[in-house]
């Protein structure tokens, strides 16, 4: 399904002001250099900013914490951001506690770029998984901190799928919340 809402009709909404874009999505990492190698050298996302800072956090009231905040650029001006801490106990306190395929960020890419990224990841010995959801095709990988990352490409008929979903999304959610668990994705390729 296309995620570009600008081109999709939104029912029953006169004037809707949406957030403009993802500014950044932040995660905590253990080793900034391994993270840089993965995102910049393998995936191809440029390191666009690095902020070295010191701050006070409620979790550690007795001391000031040194940390580094890096940003890897997206084509729309947004970024994936990562916090790294000088002290290992601070990393342990703030790192993601549970990872699964359901807790991830997905980045939109062309089918061609998705294939290129898959090749680069596998050449660098990262295990990948591809799932064709029907409304998009997804390439999944875990980064050096075991954070799940998805690269998703839309099918040729993404506009039609998006229109159908925009018209039926509220009704389908209401049915599901009411106990009707009938699947509506007959597009999925297993």
């Amino acid at each position: 399904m296309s995620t570009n809402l600008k081109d999709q009709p939104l029912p029953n909404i006169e004037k809707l002001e949406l957030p403009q874009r993802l500014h950044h999505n932040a995660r905590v990492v253990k080793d900034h250099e391994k993270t840089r190698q993965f995102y910049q050298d393998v995936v191809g996302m440029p390191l666009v900013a690095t902020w070295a800072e010191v701050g006070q956090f409620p979790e550690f009231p007795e001391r000031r914490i040194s940390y580094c905040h890096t940003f890897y650029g997206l084509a729309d001006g947004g970024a994936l951001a990562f916090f790294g801490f000088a002290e290992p106990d601070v990393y342990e306190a703030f790192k993601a506690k549970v990872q699964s395929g359901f807790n991830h960020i997905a980045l939109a890419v062309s089918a061609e770029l998705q294939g290129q990224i898959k090749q680069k990841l596998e050449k660098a010995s990262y295990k990948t998984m591809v799932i064709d959801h029907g409304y998009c095709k997804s390439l999944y990988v875990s980064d050096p901190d075991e954070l799940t990352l998805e690269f998703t490409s839309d099918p040729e008929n993404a506009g039609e799928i998006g229109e159908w979903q925009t018209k039926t999304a509220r009704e389908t959610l209401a049915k599901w919340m009411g106990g009707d668990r009938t699947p509506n994705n007959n597009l999925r390729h297993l």
Side-chain angles (χ1 to χ4, degrees):
M1 177 178 98
S2 174
T3 55
N4 187 351
L5 292 177
K6 287 190 255 179
D7 301 328
Q8 295 180 22
L10 297 172
N12 305 320
I13 298 173
E14 299 277 330
K15 291 184 178 182
L16 179 66
E17 185 173 347
L18 296 173
Q20 298 169 7
R21 62 177 173 82
L22 174 71
H23 185 278
H24 71 275
N25 180 68
R27 294 175 157 182
V28 173
V29 297
K30 189 171 191 171
D31 183 329
H32 265 304
E33 180 54 23
K34 284 183 181 176
T35 299
R36 189 206 59 75
Q37 289 170 359
F38 177 83
Y39 285 94
Q40 187 169 34
D41 296 347
V42 177
V43 175
M45 296 173 63
L47 175 63
V48 296
T50 300
W51 296 97
E53 302 188 47
V54 176
Q56 198 100 29
F57 299 96
E59 296 85 353
F60 298 93
E62 73 285 354
R63 68 189 209 230
R64 292 174 52 79
I65 305 297
S66 294
Y67 63 97
C68 187
H69 196 194
T70 56
F71 293 78
Y72 294 84
L74 299 170
D76 71 354
L80 295 187
F82 301 93
F83 287 99
F85 300 94
E87 298 87 11
D89 64 322
V90 179
Y91 164 76
E92 290 298 326
F94 292 135
K95 72 179 182 179
K97 305 297 186 243
V98 177
Q99 289 295 296
S100 75
F102 297 103
N103 180 8
H104 66 274
I105 188 163
L107 301 175
V109 295
S110 67
E112 181 181 350
L113 181 56
Q114 186 181 59
Q116 292 169 3
I117 290 171
K118 183 177 189 299
Q119 286 179 346
K120 288 195 265 183
L121 289 167
E122 290 174 351
K123 184 177 179 183
S125 300
Y126 286 95
K127 183 180 173 188
T128 65
M129 178 177 65
V130 175
I131 297 177
D132 188 341
H133 300 283
Y135 56 86
C136 70
K137 187 175 181 181
S138 299
L139 167 66
Y140 296 93
V141 64
S142 292
D143 78 1
D145 285 275
E146 301 293 318
L147 301 171
T148 304
L149 183 63
E150 175 184 356
F151 297 95
T152 183
S153 62
D154 289 338
E156 290 182 18
N157 63 338
E160 295 169 29
I161 295 168
E163 269 188 54
W164 165 64
Q165 272 296 309
T166 299
K167 291 177 185 172
T168 63
R170 182 74 184 250
E171 179 184 348
T172 302
L173 178 59
K175 285 180 183 177
W176 197 88
M177 294 300 297
D180 181 351
R181 305 296 198 254
T182 305
N184 73 339
N185 186 358
N186 61 357
L187 306 170
R188 189 176 181 99
H189 302 281
L190 301 175

